Amino acid sequence: MRIFIAPLAAALLSSTALAAPPPATGYGIIEGLTTEVGQRLAGTEAEARARDWAVAHLKALGFANVHVEPFDMPVWVRGAETAEVVAPFPQKLVLAALGNSGATPEAGITAEIVGFPSLEALKAAPDAAVKGKIVFVWHRMLATQDGSSYGTYGAIRFSGAAIASKKGAAAMLIRSIGTDHHRVAHTGVTDWGDGVKPIPAAALTVPDAEQLERILARGKSVTLHLTLTPHMTGTHQSGNVIAEVPGTDPSAGIVLIGGHLDSWDLGTGAIDDAAGVAITTTAAKSILDGPRGKRTIRLVWFGAEEPGGFGGLAYAKAHGGEKHALAAEADFGGDKVWGFRASLALPKSPLRDDLTARLNLIGVEPRPGAAHGGTDVGPMVVKGTPVIDLEQDGTRYFEIHHTADDTLDKIDPVQLAQAIEAWSIMLRTVVDSDDPLAPLPPRQEQE
Ligand code: ZN
Ligand code: ZN
């Protein structure tokens, strides 16, 4: 058989070797980034490789002005992470350290658990009830289409550990900010604020949190042995990768769009946020390939979003003085767009009517309320840049968000294609819109 196959293989090779395959768009960007780079923790060599991947890919797609804008940031890396109930019912629990968590000694700590059903209950507790103990806060987060339950319960992760530290707690455990019932923990950043001592802080998986709740409900003193050894590695370089679709009228302002290139270290960051960069890049490519719009599209693959929005702040510092017509961000997975919100200076903007008419054709409806952008474009939105939110279905997002389960197989190509179409329609409408897209009054803060 070999004698027949070899010439055929040689012929195939010679015909394909001449033409390189076209650079991927859509699903192919997510597939490429998650396969060829993998996890992309901010400020590490993995994120640097992702920037190289992005620059090569965006140049191959034909974008203009492709370059990296570097910035420095403090870098946190995960260490060992184990937990065992010592008494009354010895058993292991599954957890993951929160970003910026402090560390226990190598040998771990053993302390009594004090449990709270909400952040409000922890806040109300006297310091004496918490001092020297491992605080455990749980909740009842359920899935919502608009992701609003993350806003409700996310504060347990963002600020719970700092509250526990100020009260003298030895460590902080939370029920994962997630809506699944798998034994996979959800990481994410915790904020210490100025002058607050970082304590060891981790998220139990939802089943482990429910287990610990049941153990506590037996009314006996519960002791836990906890080992978390993450550490700060110092100040390292991250960066934003920028690419443009030049418009025909430079005075018409920049349309800023993008997602974030970094991911947490546990999964490969398919839904968070390879999907966002794929959606925005593929939509921008549709303008690059079609008739040029009046406005320039500036596409940013932001660096270091997860540990504290460093890329968005660096962008606003470097470019805040340039005329921005609009900002929009994709950082909510790869599922379909079902609604949109627009915050525009003109109360009866023709842009809003055009978007309503065109997006309705693919099942996207206008929604009441202000648009906010997200962490990456937030610093520009605060300055008064008009903003459009294309709202993706978040029903299954927090089953996977920030877990080891955030991998390529969670991407639904059909829903992803719809999201790209919605973004393409939005961009086409915006780049040519007659709305002058004047700035709004600056906002107090990003919600
Ligand atoms: Zn994200
Ligand atoms: Zn995230």
Side-chain angles (χ1 to χ4, degrees):
M1 290 300 284
R2 184 176 296 171
I3 196 167
F4 296 104
I5 289 170
L8 178 62
L12 282 171
L13 274 174
S14 64
S15 65
T16 53
L18 292 174
T25 54
Y27 181 89
I29 291 177
I30 309 173
E31 197 269 348
L33 205 48
T34 57
T35 304
E36 295 173 21
V37 183
Q39 69 85 11
R40 304 174 293 284
L41 188 68
T44 66
E45 66 77 34
E47 197 202 32
R49 277 190 285 118
R51 283 194 293 281
D52 292 344
W53 192 98
V55 166
H57 202 82
L58 290 164
K59 282 184 175 168
L61 283 170
F63 284 98
N65 198 18
V66 177
H67 66 283
V68 176
E69 297 188 353
F71 55 84
D72 289 336
M73 54 160 296
V75 176
W76 174 93
V77 296
R78 190 173 302 281
E81 39 198 24
T82 62
E84 307 95 37
V85 176
V86 177
F89 312 125
Q91 57 190 287
K92 290 183 180 174
L93 299 175
V94 180
L95 80 184
L98 300 182
N100 293 336
S101 166
T104 65
E106 293 277 321
I109 57 169
T110 302
E112 191 184 347
I113 294 259
V114 56
F116 299 98
S118 67
L119 196 58
E120 288 64 37
L122 169 62
K123 284 179 188 166
D127 292 3
V130 168
K131 198 168 173 52
K133 294 180 179 169
I134 298 173
V135 167
F136 167 47
V137 177
W138 65 88
H139 59 82
R140 294 284 180 264
M141 178 176 170
L142 295 174
T144 47
Q145 187 179 21
D146 65 359
S148 54
S149 58
Y150 186 62
T152 307
Y153 297 106
I156 295 172
R157 196 193 79 219
F158 302 135
S159 55
I163 293 166
S165 175
K166 283 187 217 164
K167 289 177 182 286
M172 172 73 166
L173 295 180
I174 64 168
R175 171 173 163 144
S176 278
I177 306 302
T179 57
D180 61 295
H181 278 78
H182 294 286
R183 220 170 172 191
V184 182
H186 298 243
T187 190
V189 79
T190 195
D191 301 326
W192 298 108
D194 289 339
V196 178
K197 178 184 144 211
I199 56 173
L204 292 163
T205 76
V206 169
D208 286 274
E210 292 183 344
Q211 178 80 333
L212 188 53
E213 249 193 271
R214 284 191 297 271
I215 293 172
L216 285 166
R218 300 301 203 262
K220 296 177 181 166
S221 169
V222 179
T223 309
L224 197 87
H225 182 71
L226 176 68
T227 306
L228 295 175
T229 61
H231 69 286
M232 304 298 299
T233 65
T235 300
H236 298 286
Q237 199 170 76
S238 179
N240 293 326
V241 181
I242 296 188
E244 289 183 343
V245 182
T248 56
D249 179 2
S251 71
I254 294 156
V255 176
L256 171 68
I257 61 165
H260 65 87
L261 183 54
D262 68 308
S263 75
W264 281 109
D265 54 338
L266 299 173
T268 58
I271 69 155
D272 187 14
D273 187 24
V277 299
I279 289 166
T280 51
T281 301
T282 309
K285 173 75 172 158
S286 77
I287 309 297
L288 187 68
D289 292 345
R292 284 297 162 86
K294 184 168 67 175
R295 298 187 170 90
T296 291
I297 295 171
R298 183 175 290 161
L299 170 70
V300 185
W301 294 21
F302 290 92
E305 188 271 351
E306 295 289 7
F310 294 98
L313 292 168
Y315 178 87
K317 195 173 167 194
H319 299 284
E322 297 167 39
K323 183 179 176 183
H324 283 73
L326 189 97
E329 165 175 343
D331 189 11
F332 204 51
D335 283 351
K336 70 179 180 192
V337 174
W338 64 282
F340 82 91
R341 287 179 164 139
S343 287
L344 309 168
L346 283 182
K348 291 191 182 298
S349 171
L351 174 57
R352 191 187 300 276
D353 294 340
D354 290 345
L355 285 171
T356 300
R358 294 178 191 179
L359 287 170
N360 263 335
L361 297 175
I362 60 163
V364 179
E365 59 191 40
R367 297 235 298 140
H372 296 286
T375 304
D376 287 316
V377 303
M380 293 302 301
V381 173
V382 168
K383 286 174 185 285
T385 302
V387 55
I388 291 176
D389 290 343
L390 291 178
E391 298 187 296
Q392 290 177 255
D393 191 332
T395 309
R396 67 188 189 117
Y397 186 66
F398 292 105
E399 296 175 3
I400 302 153
H401 180 248
H402 293 183
T403 71
D405 229 8
D406 180 1
T407 49
L408 180 65
D409 47 294
K410 309 309 181 303
I411 299 294
D412 173 349
V414 174
Q415 293 204 59
L416 181 74
Q418 189 271 7
I420 290 167
E421 190 177 3
W423 267 84
S424 302
I425 291 168
M426 185 272 280
L427 281 185
R428 174 54 65 196
T429 309
V430 166
V431 291
D432 292 326
S433 176
D434 290 335
D435 185 323
L437 290 169
L440 296 148
R443 298 189 189 188
Q444 282 298 318
E445 58 184 47
Q446 181 71 1
E447 228 176 66

